[in-house]
Amino acid sequence: MKNNFHTHCSYCDGKEPMECFVNKAVELGYDELGFSSHAPVPFENDFGIQEEEIPAYLKEIDSFRLQYPQLQLFAGLECDFIPGMTKDFTYYRDTFGLDYVIGGVHLVRPENDDRIWFIDGSKREIYDNGLQQLFAGNAKKAVTRFWEQTFEMIETQSFDIIAHFDKIKMHNQNRFFQEDEPWYQQLADHCVELIRRKQLIVEINTRGIYKGRCPDFYPSDHLLRLISKYQIPMVISTDAHKSEELPLGREDALEHLKVFGIKYLMYIKNKQWEEYSI
């Protein structure tokens, strides 16, 4: 079984039209491909799909389903959670009849503040500047806020897959905090426990590695041990923004999961998530 449910085409911040990804998936012999454009957010940006474009996005996926019956195609969105700002994820699922929803935190909102800390993207200085301006350089306070926002997303939103849930580490590069600090591990471990309770699917995300922005996968090995212990379901995500990125790191991730005793991954069958053996 070969699949990828975390895929960004030119409807959002992906760099190529949908057809390029479909052709690449067929070329690679994929069984399933899911598109997950970034959902709209309530401020001007250059990374999210516009709500009025979602019907065209869905229609194009439908057209490729007819053209490529050998490839199972699915329509999803990657929804950002920003407390007090973004719509409930169920709005997008119910309004547009999505096959699945990915939930993620890329934008951290400090308490009692309408400004936002952007923790993602290619520019480390944006991360650093936000840390200084919004949290006075207090990394523990800033990172704790990231995890608290993630906890709130898990507890209040309905979705299928949680995206790169320890992505707060990407631009840190061991400069402001260490992942083995007790306070950090306590927060990260609690996130895994909430994921287990909510019965979410965790992705092992390869993008940080192949883009040279992070030396390891999301999530880190310590968290993978817990995920394996709790038998939390998983998928492999390349988080592709170009068609050439679709397979990058997939085989490495597959072998990495086996090291932790993870024996199954998820796929969609008859509109339900099912597991298959790796």
Side-chain angles (χ1 to χ4, degrees), residues 212-223:
R213 296 174 187 159
C214 188
D216 56 359
F217 297 106
Y218 317 111
S220 296
D221 288 357
H222 168 74
L223 299 173

Side-chain angles (χ1 to χ4, degrees), residues 8-270:
H8 297 286
C9 63
S10 53
Y11 277 95
C12 60
D13 62 348
K15 306 304 180 186
E16 294 178 322
M18 194 178 287
E19 184 174 15
C20 293
F21 293 89
V22 173
N23 288 334
K24 189 66 174 180
V26 171
E27 175 191 324
L28 294 168
Y30 273 47
D31 302 283
E32 299 177 321
L33 178 65
F35 286 98
S36 58
S37 285
H38 290 286
V41 290
F43 50 82
E44 188 174 340
N45 67 89
D46 59 1
F47 57 81
I49 189 171
Q50 299 298 308
E51 186 165 336
E52 59 269 22
E53 293 181 320
I54 296 177
Y57 168 74
L58 300 176
K59 185 177 180 180
E60 190 165 347
I61 293 172
D62 281 338
S63 72
F64 286 122
R65 284 178 175 140
L66 295 174
Q67 292 179 53
Y68 298 91
Q70 72 272 40
L71 178 65
Q72 294 291 306
L73 288 168
F74 299 99
L77 289 175
E78 182 180 11
C79 294
D80 258 287
F81 177 73
I82 311 171
M85 296 183 71
T86 48
K87 292 181 179 178
D88 279 356
F89 296 176
T90 51
Y91 168 81
Y92 295 106
R93 187 194 295 274
D94 295 346
T95 302
F96 299 105
L98 301 176
D99 296 310
Y100 65 95
V101 172
I102 299 175
V105 174
H106 306 80
L107 302 138
V108 178
R109 182 182 182 186
E111 289 188 274
N112 305 313
D113 197 327
D114 289 337
R115 295 176 297 170
I116 292 173
W117 181 32
F118 184 46
I119 65 159
D120 200 2
S122 61
K123 297 179 180 179
R124 185 188 292 184
E125 59 267 26
I126 293 177
Y127 179 98
D128 292 3
N129 291 341
L131 177 61
Q132 293 298 325
Q133 294 169 10
L134 277 67
F135 297 94
N138 186 330
K140 184 175 180 180
K141 181 178 179 181
V143 173
T144 298
R145 184 62 189 144
F146 164 82
W147 285 112
E148 289 173 345
Q149 190 168 313
T150 303
F151 301 160
E152 187 176 348
M153 176 181 71
I154 295 169
E155 291 171 328
T156 65
Q157 302 300 305
S158 175
F159 58 108
D160 303 271
I161 301 169
I162 185 163
H164 42 61
F165 74 89
D166 63 344
K167 199 167 195 178
I168 192 66
K169 72 187 180 184
M170 182 177 78
H171 286 309
N172 177 54
Q173 301 291 321
N174 295 316
R175 295 177 300 147
F176 303 113
F177 65 90
Q178 305 295 318
E179 291 180 73
D180 61 358
E181 292 181 69
W183 67 269
Y184 181 90
Q185 284 201 347
Q186 184 177 8
L187 290 163
D189 292 0
H190 181 60
C191 188
V192 175
E193 173 60 22
L194 291 178
I195 289 168
R196 183 187 68 82
R197 290 183 205 167
K198 195 71 177 282
Q199 298 182 310
L200 295 174
I201 298 168
V202 168
E203 66 170 19
I204 181 169
N205 187 301
T206 68
R207 186 170 178 80
I209 293 178
Y210 71 73
K211 294 296 288 185
R213 296 174 187 159
C214 188
D216 56 359
F217 297 106
Y218 317 111
S220 296
D221 288 357
H222 168 74
L223 299 173
L224 285 174
R225 290 187 187 95
L226 287 179
I227 289 164
S228 177
K229 176 184 176 181
Y230 294 141
Q231 298 184 323
I232 294 171
M234 297 195 73
V235 294
I236 296 174
S237 293
T238 60
D239 201 346
H241 288 60
K242 299 178 182 177
S243 58
E244 66 188 32
E245 296 172 347
L246 201 55
L248 296 186
R250 186 182 186 280
E251 292 303 317
D252 290 340
L254 195 62
E255 295 306 312
H256 197 70
L257 292 178
K258 291 177 183 178
V259 170
F260 293 92
I262 294 167
K263 300 178 180 179
Y264 300 94
L265 292 173
M266 306 303 289
Y267 76 112
I268 298 176
K269 181 180 180 181
N270 299 324

